[in-house]
Amino acid sequence: MMTADQALEQIRPDLASIIAVKERTLGSRMRAYESLGTKLGRSPTWIRKVLGRAPDVTVGLHDALNIRAAYERLCKHIADGTDAIKAENQNLRRELDATLRGDRPASARLGGAPSAAEAPALSQRVATAPAPVAPPAAAPRLRKKASGELSELPLFGAMEPRP
């Protein structure tokens, strides 16, 4: 058999957990007290007294049941959120595995960018725009590319030989 004081000691951590979560979501501890107090049919002062172990406050059976129900709803909400996050992580892992295996076209992987099959080959792009050739005796001078120019070599494309 459980005494009223033992029941109160079991309910207090649940109440503190609910307040902590509400404080994070609402941004204020006082708002958390008000929000939970409204749901429980009690004042914010009553909740503060229960958490502070004030000797003049009592927790009735209906209060304890309401606190327990609110705590169980909070736990269910957190579990549902965790399940949704796990499902999303599984989807992302499947997509990553498919991408690494090459099952999906690059346009699907890169969010609409053309795949390697759709883009012209590097040799075709080079053939259409021949680069000027420097005389063999002269050392090539490097110039910086304009910010809007594109290159086939991403790392070294910023510099190209001057004519």
Side-chain angles (χ1 to χ4, degrees):
M1 184 146 168
M2 187 181 294
T3 67
D5 288 336
Q6 291 170 333
L8 178 61
E9 288 305 314
Q10 272 191 322
I11 292 298
R12 188 173 287 122
D14 296 347
L15 187 62
S17 297
I18 297 168
I19 291 297
V21 170
K22 285 194 171 290
E23 181 181 358
R24 281 191 298 259
T25 58
L26 297 174
S28 165
R29 184 170 290 219
M30 294 310 292
R31 286 188 194 143
Y33 290 147
E34 290 169 9
S35 174
L36 184 60
T38 301
K39 288 181 182 176
L40 296 177
R42 290 297 196 156
S43 69
T45 304
W46 181 84
I47 293 173
R48 283 195 310 271
K49 285 183 176 184
V50 170
L51 290 174
R53 294 181 170 86
D56 63 332
V57 70
T58 58
V59 178
L61 178 61
H62 67 284
D63 294 325
L65 292 174
N66 288 340
I67 292 168
R68 175 55 81 180
Y71 181 73
E72 287 174 1
R73 280 192 307 271
L74 173 66
C75 290
K76 183 177 179 341
H77 177 74
I78 290 171
D80 291 346
T82 302
D83 292 342
I85 289 170
K86 284 180 183 178
E88 180 64 23
N89 283 343
Q90 286 297 330
N91 288 338
L92 291 173
R93 283 188 183 107
R94 278 188 224 108
E95 286 182 25
L96 179 62
D97 290 343
T99 301
L100 292 175
R101 283 191 316 262
D103 293 348
R104 294 176 44 203
S107 60
R109 288 187 297 237
L110 300 175
S115 67
E118 296 169 358
L122 179 60
S123 61
Q124 291 173 347
R125 285 183 277 166
V126 171
T128 58
V133 179
R141 285 191 254 151
L142 299 177
R143 70 171 175 85
K144 277 194 144 181
K145 285 191 137 203
S147 62
E149 291 183 52
L150 298 177
S151 170
E152 291 80 31
L153 300 172
L155 294 176
F156 304 104
M159 304 296 270
E160 78 174 26
R162 272 194 174 163

